[in-house]
Amino acid sequence: MATDIIIYHNPECGTSRNTLAMICNAGIEPHVIEYLKTPPSRALLVELIGRAGIGPRALLREKGTPYAELGLADTALSDDALVDAMMAHPILINRPLVVSPLGVKLCRPSEAVLDLLPTGQLGTFTKEDGEQVVDASGQRIA
């Protein structure tokens, strides 16, 4: 089954790697966009935020970014200002963001991607930290 899945991915991020691996474990070869190398356009970023049903603040990454230095914790900042910051510093875009026919979601934790996959897992899946997420029959472990 051909399924169009896009993952905005950072290969340095364990959550992003686990999410990508779960997509592949469903037999899907996604379009992988390393967003630090190829950031989305402003219009696309705004569209993805809207389709995910979140606000720009919910997509902001704090850890390992210039979040504090830029004063982004200030709740008076507009959504436009937050998007401007993400455009200027793509590392501020939290990841992984996944687009599928079933929706758009920031997949934190990584197993949130299972809700976006139109096919089930093909077998067991264990995250990099050793946590088993899917059993041998392809069923999600609660």
Side-chain angles (χ1 to χ4, degrees), residues 31-118:
H31 300 284
V32 178
I33 299 173
E34 289 190 34
Y35 72 93
L36 294 177
K37 294 179 181 177
T38 310
S41 68
R42 181 186 177 83
L44 179 56
L45 182 61
V46 169
E47 177 188 331
L48 292 170
I49 290 168
R51 287 179 61 197
I54 60 176
R57 187 165 296 283
L59 191 60
L60 274 175
R61 181 169 178 81
E62 296 179 36
K63 184 179 168 187
T65 73
Y67 178 90
E69 295 83 11
L70 295 172
L72 297 176
D74 182 351
T75 57
L77 290 172
S78 69
D79 286 352
D80 281 340
L82 298 176
V83 171
D84 287 343
M86 286 186 265
M87 293 306 303
H89 306 278
I91 192 71
L92 288 166
I93 301 170
N94 213 340
R95 73 276 181 165
L97 194 60
V98 176
V99 180
S100 95
L102 299 177
V104 177
K105 185 180 276 196
L106 175 61
C107 293
R108 298 189 77 80
S110 56
E111 54 269 25
V113 75
L114 297 173
D115 298 331
L116 292 177
L117 301 178

